[in-house]
Amino acid sequence: MDTHADAAKPLSSLSRHRPQSGTAAPFLPMSRAEMTALGWDACDIVLVTGDAYVDHPSFGMAIIGRLLEAQGFRVGIIAQPDWQSAEPFKALGKPKLFFGVTGGNMDSMVNRYTADRRLRHDDAYTPGGEGGKRPDRCTIVYTQRCREAYKDVPIVLGGIEASLRRIAHYDYWSEKVRRSILADAKADLLLYGNAERAIIEVANRLAAGEAPRDLESIRGVALFRRVPETYTELHADDLDSADEGAARRPGDVVIRLPAYEQVEQDKEAYARASRVLHRESNPGNARPLVQRHGDRDLWLNPPPIPLTSDEMDAVYDLPYARAPHPSYGDAKIPAWDMIKFSVTIMRGCFGGCTFCSITEHEGRIIQNRSEGSILREIELIRDKTPGFTGVISDIGGPTANMYRMACKDPKIEAACRLPSCVFPDICPNLNTSHDELIRLYRKVRETEGVKKVMVASGVRYDLAVKSPEYIKELVTHHVGGYLKIAPEHTERGPLDKMMKPGIGTYDRFKEMFDAAVKQAGKKYYLIPYFIAAHPGTTDEDMMNLALWLKKNRYRADQVQTFLPSPMATATAMYHTGVNPLRGVRHGGSDKVVTVTGLRQRRLHKAFLRYHDPENWPLLREALKQMGRADLIGSRPDQLVPAHQPPGTGKAAGTRRPVRSTSGGAQRFTTKGVPIRK
């Protein structure tokens, strides 16, 4: 079902900048020589990205570049430039219209650092997997260099780094609240979310002679502007009031968020700003937001209107080369190797998991491709991608099994403000049918040359249990030994803060999965994923999760520690200790237990790897302090042995205790369990 289509300008509604000039460029040019071969004297638009240039619809810069090319613009790419000077940013000459700048498919800080703030030495989006080819906060750095290269050329920010840093936000790596990236980068415009519709309008209006400041009416745009006198301001910035600007008012309305200076100093103000931002995220009812930065107002228009299936098809049917740029030679690009035999069938996610940023970027309304478009791409993979052996490595999206799911009533969908369609329970207005997805799977399997179709995207198990036929189809045809699933935790405290279903739902899915495996005569297994140190998690919660893992004979080799990514709701909890899922005001906010100390974060991770002898000294110490020394021993119901194997656990056993800022030894948090001194 396509919603909101009547409220949006179709991608094809604007006239082309130039008439059709024959075939598309084999690759968008990265050098003057390539421009000359195309007969260009200059680019209209130069796109600068922190990723290697792979001309494939899984890479955002390729989508934007090909889309603008289809509108008649001459588009060049500067990929992973040396940022030490402005010279590499002059490689394609001065663009006639604007620079488009993005950090790439990932936030550059998430890309470069682990959850423990350790520098990564590899980069999946770089030839050879080499690390260090992009700077920290590369969107800001690239923008500065573009400005140095050609100071009078407008600069438009986009991509996930800009999208998730569009307002004042907590930055985990510097441990402070930073201004909107638009302010720090000193760019002209910021496009957030799915930017196809916005970038076409921006390009055409700039080409028509308008200035960036004139583009304040485009959805998904952030810029600095004054609040027009015709607008009524709803003040969500008064933390002494329970009024959070939620009331509906006639006429033009803008909601004032707490200012940057306010959220920098007042954690409850930060939580309030996060709550209001996420509430105003439905394209059907969202209103503009404004946030003061010094003496200027940052204005955010409502989110983009989702693409229709026809528009999604048009985007994915563009003439991509479906390969890395030839300048990389035979160098391996790990991200390309991972996705080159996979197919994206939809965008968006209505799960609303608080630790995830998908909904803040792609939205909660599912945008679907048609069966025809998906089948055409699979035929292209079969016919044009070297190394294809008949196996589609993944068919999915942010969530594998939300294809074609939507609210049963478009009017209800347009009015809804809930952050999730599936928490605390699945909304009765949500269509959870898997029939169209099952039919798609079967058609893909029937495609000539396709031997196997894998589903590697995450399966939302609380939806899957609604369709035994889907689980049977999945197990019989689309699982290869293991299926990864993400219950994330077993305890209600952290699960409520994550907005995830209880472990009982996972148990029902496992029962149905095991029955389907037995019926199919397979030997397949579920691999559950869990998060350590998520807001709302106590040490006792992690201990109970570890006991559950041991009881169910799970030994996690790779574990995930909560990473506070920009703008996520759980990040607001982590930074503020306040729950923005409920009303926020001075003296009336719901508090959240948070795990911020490095030692305690390591402890939570150690509970997930209770079976690793390197973690046993830390776990023994914690269990004793928690009053649970009874879990130390060799019985099946005990968690860790009392004796340490020779040559193991030395680092943990000899590490000096970490001192808190108050000067006392750090204590572990529990729920209702006395702490032994």
Side-chain angles (χ1 to χ4, degrees), residues 510-530:
K510 185 179 186 304
E511 182 181 349
M512 296 170 72
F513 177 87
D514 290 344
V517 166
K518 183 177 181 180
Q519 184 177 356
K522 308 285 187 178
K523 290 187 177 180
Y524 293 159
Y525 305 94
L526 286 181
I527 303 297
Y529 271 44
F530 298 94

Side-chain angles (χ1 to χ4, degrees), residues 18 21 23-46 65-66 68-69 72-77 92 96:
R18 288 187 181 86
S21 58
T23 59
F27 284 86
L28 300 176
M30 291 179 64
S31 67
R32 289 277 193 158
E34 291 172 87
M35 290 170 58
T36 300
L38 294 169
W40 299 2
D41 59 345
C43 291
D44 298 313
I45 300 158
V46 172
R66 288 299 187 180
L68 289 168
E69 178 192 50
F73 295 98
R74 292 175 176 175
V75 184
I77 299 275
L92 302 180
K96 293 182 178 180

Side-chain angles (χ1 to χ4, degrees), residues 358-370:
I358 290 173
T359 52
E360 281 71 49
H361 185 57
E362 295 190 5
R364 290 182 172 83
I365 295 172
I366 305 302
Q367 301 166 80
N368 310 280
R369 295 172 63 187
S370 71

Side-chain angles (χ1 to χ4, degrees), residues 624-627 666-670 672-677:
K624 290 175 183 176
Q625 290 192 18
M626 294 165 65
Q666 178 169 324
R667 296 181 177 183
F668 299 115
T669 60
T670 63
V673 178
I675 299 178
R676 292 184 178 179
K677 295 184 179 180

Side-chain angles (χ1 to χ4, degrees), residues 25 48 112 150 168 272 308 328 331 372 378 533 560 580 582 662:
V48 183
R112 283 176 51 77
Y150 303 107
R272 168 74 71 86
T308 66
Y328 301 127
I378 288 173
Q560 180 181 0
R582 299 183 180 178
S662 62

